[in-house]
Amino acid sequence: MIKGVAASPGVAIGPAFVLRTEELKVEKRAIAAEDVERELSRLPAAVSESARQIETVKAGAGTKEAAEILSAQLLMLEDPGLTGLIESTVRDQRAGLEWAVQEAAEQYARTLEQVDDAYIKERAADVRDIGRRLVKNLLGAAQAGPALDRPSIVIAQDLTPSETAALRDNMVLGMAIDKGSTTCHTAILARAKGIPAVVGAAPVSTVARTGVTVAIDGDAGTVHLDPSGEEMEVYRRAIEAQKQEKQRLAGTKSLPARTQDGVSIEVSANIGFPGDVPVAIENGAEGVGLFRTEFLFMKRDSLPTEEEQFKAYAEVLSGMKGRPVVIRTLDIGGDKDIPYLGLKQELNPFLGWRALRMCLDRPDLFKTQLRAIYRASVHGKAKIMFPMVATVEEVRKAKAVVAEVLGELDREGIKYDPKVEVGIMVEIPSAAVMARSLGREVDFFSIGTNDLTQYTMAVDRTNEKIAHLYDALHPSVIRLIGMVADGAKANGIWAGMCGELAGDPLATGLLVGLGLTELSASMPLVPKVKENVRGLTMKKAREIADRVLQMSETAEVREYLGSLAKGS
């Protein structure tokens, strides 16, 4: 058995299809100065052909997530940052176009990998994918894709975004990949398609052979090659239970998330685009616990206008029909992916000038976003959340900007909801420790467990070598969550969670027992979290929390919560 990272839940059994991506390495070719323009004149045709091919894959992608990834690749093809780098490489180094494309794509990808945002890091794979496609088109080579002829478990060292998107859903039972993290394309698309997946499972692509029976467990993050008859029976029972649970949840997703002793827990969805709203409602979400607004600022050459932002926020608020929507203000860090913001490279962007820190220094940007949110607030129930808060002083400064914005709207006679709640995302240990003080300044807390875990454990969650240290159920993280809940209670405000732990079925009882009253998960997980809440009493939840708070090892916590899930 090979242990990897649980990327997409579920169990699958089937024959392995081992996909080996051919190496594509172009040697540098020197060109004469007078040939530079002629060499560069070949680029537009290669870009055009690449765009046509990506459009074809996109048309058959099957899911919104896959289509969005391929749409982003189309934009990258025309990105002046990439094409300019290709052109300067040809001119400056008098190099052949194929090598220049390969070199520029790799250089651009490495820049993205230095960014402190896991999502943007993963976009490096898009750039390499595009570079590879361009080189193949310049060489006149075929763009071969995975050719599955029967339902299989796809196994690879890595999958490019276009290879993943091109996989036919009805032929893919599951995926096991050597590389990757929970934010890689394979993981994102597998979750969107409901396909069990394990990533970071090296050396699975080396030891597996096409045709051998494979069983993967996307919940446990395990890959089993050629399991015995007895082991196969265990996996078959798990698959049958999974089918029954899916049917059951489909019938109960609209029921309220209320404990058996009558305590309501708001179970919401995390969204990234206005188009996610219908899916959130379809999954029974009682609100939006995290609306990421970064999409408004990406893939463009200038700041989004107040009117552009207003329309996006109003669309989400109207679509949620009175359900609460927590809008997170801009959470972009010291990355270099948005040239018009003029961000400079930082030595350690994880701990750098980002999110609220940057917004407080850029009132033009911050006030525009706040004005748009308040203007949109008349279309629904908006709440504003500031990310990356470390100190009380930052919150006070942010609230001063809010007051300034409201004064402007009043003077201009623009209507807004004066009862919009203002809260913070707790993702830095200092904020958790200071929760009692911060609670006097805001209306709510929402805990971002991904960064809180990363900063508490000092672990880059995308670093495969230390991935074993990244676990939101580590006792230190749980104690910080408890401190946040206590700080909220002491100030009479609510505390919720929008990090990935909120959607972990093992954690529902623990989080409710710690005192959280709102859980916001990825959309497909909402029905399960609601069901878990309905299976609790507050007495039992508090017992779970009290017992876990006495533990000192992650394995002990997981074993205990796992035993509860199994009913033992």
Side-chain angles (χ1 to χ4, degrees):
M1 181 184 292
I2 298 171
K3 184 81 175 79
V5 176
S8 180
V11 175
I13 305 172
F17 177 85
V18 183
L19 177 64
R20 304 199 189 281
T21 304
E22 61 180 305
E23 284 288 327
L24 184 62
K25 186 74 176 174
V26 180
E27 295 299 323
K28 187 175 183 180
R29 172 170 55 87
I31 61 172
E34 58 269 26
D35 292 335
V36 165
E37 296 307 322
R38 188 171 57 192
E39 191 71 8
L40 285 173
S41 69
R42 299 167 54 214
L43 183 59
V47 170
S48 177
E49 175 59 16
S50 298
R52 187 194 65 75
Q53 292 166 352
I54 294 171
E55 288 283 11
T56 301
V57 177
K58 181 183 170 186
T63 67
K64 181 170 70 66
E65 288 78 4
E68 285 173 354
I69 286 171
L70 293 164
S71 294
Q73 287 205 355
L74 288 170
L75 291 174
M76 284 183 180
L77 265 175
E78 300 172 357
D79 185 342
L82 178 60
T83 55
L85 196 54
I86 293 171
E87 290 178 10
S88 63
T89 303
V90 172
R91 293 184 195 283
D92 299 345
Q93 302 200 37
R94 303 271 176 82
L97 186 57
E98 292 84 354
W99 182 86
V101 169
Q102 179 180 271
E103 186 72 9
E106 182 58 29
Q107 186 178 334
Y108 199 25
R110 284 200 296 266
T111 301
L112 292 177
E113 286 174 336
Q114 293 170 7
V115 174
D116 64 339
D117 183 292
Y119 177 84
I120 293 174
K121 276 180 188 290
E122 294 295 348
R123 304 293 76 76
D126 283 296
V127 177
R128 291 193 175 99
D129 199 10
I130 289 168
R132 184 181 178 81
R133 184 179 294 278
L134 279 171
V135 170
K136 278 194 164 187
N137 282 325
L138 287 167
L139 294 171
Q143 302 278 354
L148 293 176
D149 57 2
R150 60 174 172 163
S152 305
I153 305 286
V154 175
I155 293 177
Q157 183 185 39
D158 200 3
L159 284 175
T160 67
S162 57
E163 283 174 338
T164 309
L167 289 169
R168 291 165 57 193
D169 294 358
N170 61 349
M171 290 290 179
V172 183
L173 300 171
M175 290 189 270
I177 312 296
D178 282 356
K179 297 182 177 179
S181 66
T182 56
T183 55
C184 70
H185 284 102
T186 300
I188 292 170
L189 292 176
R191 287 194 292 268
K193 294 179 177 182
I195 298 171
V198 179
V199 298
V204 65
S205 75
T206 305
V207 298
R209 295 288 178 269
T210 293
V212 71
T213 300
V214 180
I216 68 169
D217 186 336
D219 295 287
T222 55
V223 183
H224 209 140
L225 302 179
D226 198 17
S228 67
E230 189 177 335
E231 291 162 338
M232 284 284 282
E233 187 53 34
V234 172
Y235 283 110
R236 288 195 185 102
R237 284 200 297 270
I239 290 173
E240 182 56 32
Q242 174 175 294
K243 286 180 183 173
Q244 291 178 10
E245 179 180 90
K246 193 173 181 180
Q247 291 173 352
R248 187 183 68 252
L249 291 175
T252 62
K253 62 188 178 187
S254 299
L255 297 176
R258 187 177 300 133
T259 64
Q260 292 173 14
D261 43 2
V263 175
S264 292
I265 303 296
E266 186 179 299
V267 179
S268 300
N270 296 337
I271 70 170
F273 300 89
D276 290 338
V277 167
V279 185
I281 293 176
E282 171 62 24
N283 279 285
E286 296 165 326
V288 170
L290 171 63
F291 175 24
R292 303 178 177 93
T293 59
E294 288 71 56
F295 77 98
L296 286 161
F297 297 80
M298 307 288 284
K299 314 302 178 198
R300 51 186 300 142
D301 299 324
S302 60
L303 282 170
T305 65
E306 180 180 318
E307 195 62 21
E308 285 177 291
Q309 295 189 58
F310 161 76
K311 287 179 180 175
Y313 307 145
E315 183 180 346
V316 171
L317 288 164
S318 300
M320 289 304 291
K321 296 180 171 54
R323 298 175 181 89
V325 177
V326 178
I327 302 173
R328 183 177 69 184
T329 56
L330 183 60
D331 189 12
I332 286 177
D335 57 78
K336 311 300 178 287
D337 189 50
I338 307 178
Y340 66 83
L341 285 179
L343 301 170
K344 295 181 179 177
Q345 192 168 8
E346 297 180 332
L347 188 60
N348 193 343
F350 278 91
L351 310 176
W353 192 61
R354 52 177 295 205
L356 183 61
R357 300 169 181 185
M358 182 183 72
C359 286
L360 289 174
D361 290 341
R362 290 287 306 269
D364 57 323
L365 183 157
F366 195 29
K367 285 177 66 176
T368 301
Q369 185 171 34
L370 290 172
R371 280 179 61 96
I373 295 172
Y374 272 102
R375 283 178 56 203
S377 67
V378 296
H379 293 280
K381 191 173 182 181
K383 300 169 190 275
I384 295 173
M385 178 164 71
F386 302 131
M388 197 76 184
V389 169
T391 69
V392 171
E393 291 83 354
E394 288 172 325
V395 177
R396 289 175 179 161
K397 287 179 183 175
K399 287 169 62 182
V401 179
V402 169
E404 202 176 320
V405 165
L406 295 185
E408 289 178 3
L409 295 177
D410 286 336
R411 288 192 293 277
E412 295 167 24
I414 296 175
K415 292 182 179 178
Y416 61 87
D417 178 4
K419 296 182 180 176
V420 171
E421 292 184 4
V422 175
I424 63 169
M425 193 167 176
V426 179
E427 52 195 332
I428 299 178
S430 69
V433 172
M434 295 297 291
R436 283 179 178 259
S437 299
L438 285 164
R440 290 194 284 271
E441 304 290 334
V442 297
D443 299 313
F444 68 90
F445 294 141
S446 184
I447 302 168
T449 49
N450 304 346
D451 272 346
L452 183 62
T453 305
Q454 179 170 252
Y455 292 135
T456 302
M457 303 302 295
V459 167
D460 174 355
R461 63 178 184 266
T462 65
N463 186 328
E464 294 162 14
K465 291 182 179 177
I466 51 176
H468 61 286
L469 292 171
Y470 178 85
D471 194 324
L473 286 176
H474 187 274
S476 62
V477 180
I478 293 168
R479 289 172 200 185
L480 288 173
I481 294 169
M483 293 176 76
V484 176
D486 290 345
K489 186 178 179 182
N491 288 284
I493 63 174
W494 63 269
M497 177 177 288
C498 57
E500 286 188 11
L501 188 62
D504 186 339
L506 283 183
T508 308
L510 168 64
L511 300 176
V512 171
L514 286 170
L516 302 188
T517 58
E518 185 252 21
L519 300 173
S520 189
S522 63
M523 292 179 281
L525 297 173
V526 168
K528 180 60 179 174
V529 177
K530 292 177 75 175
E531 183 187 68
N532 284 357
V533 171
R534 290 192 293 271
L536 289 169
T537 64
M538 287 307 297
K539 180 182 177 186
K540 179 62 180 176
R542 291 186 187 112
E543 284 177 3
I544 294 171
D546 289 345
R547 184 159 172 183
V548 169
L549 286 171
Q550 303 304 312
M551 298 177 179
S552 56
E553 295 179 22
T554 308
E556 190 180 8
V557 175
R558 285 201 169 276
E559 183 179 2
Y560 170 59
L561 296 180
S563 69
L564 293 176
K566 292 175 183 172
S568 58

